[in-house]
Amino acid sequence: MFEDAKWITAPLEEYPDRSILLRKCFSVDFKVKKAVLSIAQLGLGVCEINQKPVTEDIFTTPFTRYDKTVFYNEYDVTPLIREGGNCIGVHLGNGFYNNSCDGWGYSSAPWRDVPKMLAELKLESEGGKSAKISTDSTWRTHCGAVLYNQMREGEIYDAREEKKAFSRVDFDSNEWYNAHVVRGPGGKLKKNYIEPERITGVSAPKYLGGGIYDFGGNISGFCILKGSDERGREITVTYSERLNKDGTLDTENINAFNRGKLRHCDKYIMSGEKTEVYHPFFVYHGFRYVHVENAPRTFELSAATVHTDLKRAASFECSDETLSWIHSASVKSTLTNFHSIPT
């Protein structure tokens, strides 16, 4: 596994907090019987082939000591590969790998570095032909539309900077850069068998006034924005677990984990298209309440609950309503604090 693949990143050191796009076009001269993609993405990555997602799972790289262990994922992508031209596209962000949070000493972690990836696509035909596409310096790279992303702070997304259809074969990448081959994080590569993280539910809020929305209970995840307005309009969504007596957001209990550019918020800059939908790519938040600033004229808000999709092994029912409530709260707390590891 990964015999010829190299760790690669974008030569964009002047943009340490921006996301990275990587793409590789290739041609297949036989009918594919089986196609398997093995990929390690640090910190977090979203992968697509020919404009179709490799998986619906999110936050696909588990949090480890990356200088000790690095998990890679393996996907059967046979339905996504066609005879003729194909293209792999990957969008990388910081995740826990390049984390500036001082709350647990992440900022000084020995593995901390810019986002990078390692990948290998193996193709087989009915007649015994085979081919392999591996990461190397021929992959093309560019900045993504995420201007800033830090796991304990938030994300800034500028839709005007989107490279639409960048995993399409005929996408023009002439002004992109060749990838840089870099040193890996040092950890031993292991196949990931951990249950995936997924969006497990979507809920609507109650509007409290003054730009404040209440989702009815604490969740881990992020808001989904849908709306339309003029190009360049900047929307800010700030997250909190509780309110002050005057009805404003109280973030005092979580400020200790945040000393960076953002304070528990996501920012979205509109492209001006007819209808735009956005949720963060590389961060999640713990929250019940949000404050939306500078909402667009046409606007819908919902919240996605995100955590490791653990299977329920048992259930509990009791005639005592208090005990039943405590059990239910414990289950919810366990799930919302489970993101590949119990946080």
Side-chain angles (χ1 to χ4, degrees), residues 31-46:
K31 185 176 181 179
V32 175
K33 173 187 175 182
K34 188 175 183 180
V36 176
L37 174 66
S38 302
I39 185 168
Q41 303 168 103
L42 296 177
L44 296 172
V46 180

Side-chain angles (χ1 to χ4, degrees), residues 6-8 22 39-41 90 92 115-119 135 139:
K6 309 294 183 185
W7 284 97
I8 59 172
L22 302 102
I39 185 168
Q41 303 168 103
V90 178
L92 290 180
K116 60 190 67 173
M117 66 171 286
L118 182 75
T135 44
W139 286 57

Side-chain angles (χ1 to χ4, degrees), residues 1 11 50 56-57 122 174 179 188 200 263 271 274 282:
M1 186 62 63
N50 299 326
E56 296 297 332
D57 302 337
K122 290 185 176 181
N174 288 329
K188 183 179 179 181
T200 61
R263 291 241 173 212
S271 67
K274 187 174 181 180
F282 305 118

Side-chain angles (χ1 to χ4, degrees), residues 70-121:
V70 177
F71 286 112
Y72 69 90
N73 292 291
E74 190 174 275
Y75 302 106
D76 183 345
V77 295
T78 308
L80 306 183
I81 306 297
R82 60 201 179 203
E83 285 190 72
N86 295 268
C87 185
I88 306 175
V90 178
H91 189 193
L92 290 180
N94 288 318
F96 284 109
Y97 178 64
N98 185 27
N99 193 334
S100 64
C101 176
D102 289 325
W104 292 281
Y106 294 153
S107 62
S108 57
W111 62 73
R112 189 180 174 197
D113 200 359
V114 296
K116 60 190 67 173
M117 66 171 286
L118 182 75
E120 181 178 82
L121 174 63

Side-chain angles (χ1 to χ4, degrees), residues 37-338:
L37 174 66
S38 302
I39 185 168
Q41 303 168 103
L42 296 177
L44 296 172
V46 180
C47 182
E48 56 189 58
I49 297 177
N50 299 326
Q51 294 186 262
K52 295 182 179 179
V54 165
T55 179
E56 296 297 332
D57 302 337
I58 62 174
F59 305 150
T60 55
T61 303
F63 184 21
T64 66
R65 276 204 58 166
Y66 303 104
D67 55 346
K68 301 294 183 182
T69 303
V70 177
F71 286 112
Y72 69 90
N73 292 291
E74 190 174 275
Y75 302 106
D76 183 345
V77 295
T78 308
L80 306 183
I81 306 297
R82 60 201 179 203
E83 285 190 72
N86 295 268
C87 185
I88 306 175
V90 178
H91 189 193
L92 290 180
N94 288 318
F96 284 109
Y97 178 64
N98 185 27
N99 193 334
S100 64
C101 176
D102 289 325
W104 292 281
Y106 294 153
S107 62
S108 57
W111 62 73
R112 189 180 174 197
D113 200 359
V114 296
K116 60 190 67 173
M117 66 171 286
L118 182 75
E120 181 178 82
L121 174 63
K122 290 185 176 181
L123 309 173
E124 297 177 8
S125 76
E126 292 281 359
K129 279 189 174 184
S130 64
K132 184 167 61 176
I133 295 88
S134 303
T135 44
D136 58 23
S137 61
T138 64
W139 286 57
R140 302 288 280 170
T141 69
H142 203 279
C143 286
V146 176
L147 306 185
Y148 184 88
N149 66 110
Q150 281 293 335
M151 183 60 81
R152 294 302 183 194
E153 299 176 25
E155 182 176 295
I156 302 173
Y157 190 94
D158 189 344
R160 299 170 300 180
E161 297 286 324
E162 284 181 344
K163 306 295 184 290
K164 290 188 178 298
F166 81 102
S167 69
R168 196 173 66 192
V169 173
D170 60 356
F171 177 86
D172 183 5
S173 61
N174 288 329
E175 296 184 359
W176 288 34
Y177 308 90
N178 275 38
H180 278 188
V181 174
V182 293
R183 185 177 64 181
K188 183 179 179 181
L189 285 165
K190 294 183 180 180
K191 186 176 177 180
N192 179 25
Y193 292 102
I194 298 172
E195 293 91 338
E197 289 208 46
R198 294 187 173 121
I199 294 175
T200 61
V202 177
S203 56
K206 176 182 178 181
Y207 185 56
L208 303 181
I212 303 291
Y213 294 83
D214 179 5
F215 286 96
N218 248 27
I219 62 173
S220 62
F222 41 68
C223 281
I224 303 171
L225 307 177
K226 182 178 181 180
S228 59
D229 212 320
E230 76 273 11
R231 180 179 176 86
R233 188 179 190 90
E234 183 176 307
I235 308 160
T236 300
V237 180
T238 304
Y239 299 81
S240 177
E241 295 181 314
R242 61 193 190 189
L243 298 177
N244 291 308
K245 290 182 179 180
D246 62 359
T248 58
L249 295 189
D250 177 4
T251 60
E252 187 61 32
N253 63 317
I254 49 179
N255 282 342
F257 306 115
N258 188 328
R259 300 183 179 92
K261 186 174 183 178
L262 297 177
R263 291 241 173 212
H264 319 296
C265 69
D266 299 319
K267 295 179 183 286
Y268 179 71
I269 303 169
M270 304 189 78
S271 67
E273 293 188 355
K274 187 174 181 180
T275 300
E276 303 179 47
V277 180
Y278 163 75
H279 68 68
F281 282 85
F282 305 118
V283 303
Y284 71 89
H285 304 269
F287 67 100
R288 171 175 173 172
Y289 305 97
V290 298
H291 177 253
V292 179
E293 182 180 348
N294 203 28
R297 289 190 299 268
T298 303
F299 178 59
E300 293 179 25
L301 182 72
S302 58
T305 298
V306 175
H307 54 73
T308 301
D309 194 10
L310 299 172
K311 301 298 184 291
R312 291 291 294 269
S315 61
F316 174 81
E317 293 181 8
C318 180
S319 59
D320 188 312
E321 292 184 1
T322 301
L323 287 180
S324 296
W325 183 90
I326 291 172
H327 177 264
S328 176
S330 299
V331 170
K332 290 179 181 178
S333 180
T334 298
L335 289 174
T336 56
N337 282 284
F338 221 101

